[in-house]
Amino acid sequence: MSNEYVYIAGVDEVGRGPLVGDVVTAAVILDPKHPIEGLADSKKLSEKKRNMLAEQIKQHALAWSIGRATPEEIDRLNILHATMLAMVRAVEGLIITPEFVRVDGNRLPKWQYAGEAVVKGDSKHAEISAASIIAKVARDDDMIALDKLHPEYGFAAHKGYPTKAHFEAIAQYGVLSCYRKSFKPVQAVLAGSDSAAK
């Protein structure tokens, strides 16, 4: 079906589950003349391998782009619609307009591109694997930067996901402006602090 296309973009997202920060998506059009060895689902790679592959993708891909949706947009739209918006932004940011777009998951954003949603696409298509790696490295970099600003929360370790240590940090230090206020665990802390303040 998509064999006749030259410019095929892969799209994936990282960060639907965390309580804090942007949901980050990436779109990548790989260069068939420069295949990149070792592409796989970003979650199955070590941090060192991901960072190395991310540099290779940025160097050799025909085009790559990152799209984001902010915590405010996530709270306003909900996480699914914010993710779709971030995917649209990633594809629109490419310097080459793709002829076909493969998206990891079971649904496509509303857009004008020909494409398909592929469940577990990050382990089936190199361009989606590449997108998952670029998105994961960008989102992890966000959390490392946030950790430098607020080391007491442990963002570099848990990357914003709802772990026991993260819950303890929120309970102790409160909710920062970069948290997703619509997420239930964050709402619970805010409700607790409201009742404590009364």
Side-chain angles (χ1 to χ4, degrees):
M1 173 173 77
S2 55
N3 295 344
E4 68 272 25
Y5 298 115
V6 177
Y7 299 123
I8 300 175
V11 178
D12 203 359
E13 57 73 27
V14 173
R16 281 177 66 162
L19 307 177
V20 64
D22 296 349
V23 61
V24 178
T25 63
V28 177
I29 300 175
L30 291 172
D31 184 351
K33 295 182 184 138
H34 286 96
I36 297 165
E37 291 294 317
L39 291 177
D41 174 3
S42 65
K43 294 182 287 296
K44 294 177 180 162
L45 299 167
S46 69
E47 186 176 358
K48 184 179 174 188
K49 179 82 171 163
R50 263 198 313 270
N51 288 335
M52 187 185 77
L53 284 168
E55 286 311 309
Q56 287 184 28
I57 294 161
K58 289 174 181 178
Q59 202 176 335
H60 295 302
L62 294 174
W64 65 274
S65 170
I66 287 171
R68 298 169 172 275
T70 64
E72 293 77 17
E73 288 171 322
I74 292 166
D75 291 339
R76 191 173 77 246
L77 300 171
N78 80 32
I79 185 63
L80 173 65
H81 289 99
T83 302
M84 295 290 140
L85 174 63
M87 286 182 172
V88 171
R89 287 171 174 165
V91 175
E92 287 180 348
L94 291 167
I95 58 168
I96 296 170
T97 302
E99 298 166 286
F100 193 83
V101 184
R102 287 196 178 107
V103 175
D104 185 56
N106 60 5
R107 66 178 73 206
L108 290 171
K110 290 190 174 87
W111 55 22
Q112 74 277 21
Y113 306 101
E116 62 181 343
V118 185
V119 174
K120 295 192 171 23
D122 45 11
S123 56
K124 295 174 184 169
H125 295 287
E127 60 272 15
I128 298 179
S129 303
S132 82
I133 290 164
I134 293 282
K136 173 77 174 145
V137 169
R139 163 87 200 172
D140 283 358
D141 285 348
D142 288 356
M143 291 298 103
I144 291 161
L146 195 57
D147 187 75
K148 287 181 177 145
L149 292 173
H150 304 282
E152 65 277 14
Y153 285 80
F155 293 118
H158 55 64
K159 303 295 192 290
Y161 284 90
T163 64
K164 183 169 179 282
H166 191 184
F167 285 136
E168 287 169 358
I170 303 171
Q172 185 172 354
Y173 301 109
V175 173
L176 299 166
S177 61
C178 49
Y179 274 88
R180 302 170 181 181
K181 315 286 190 303
S182 58
F183 279 35
K184 284 192 172 64
V186 181
Q187 285 180 346
V189 173
L190 289 169
S193 60
D194 286 348
S195 58
K198 284 172 188 167

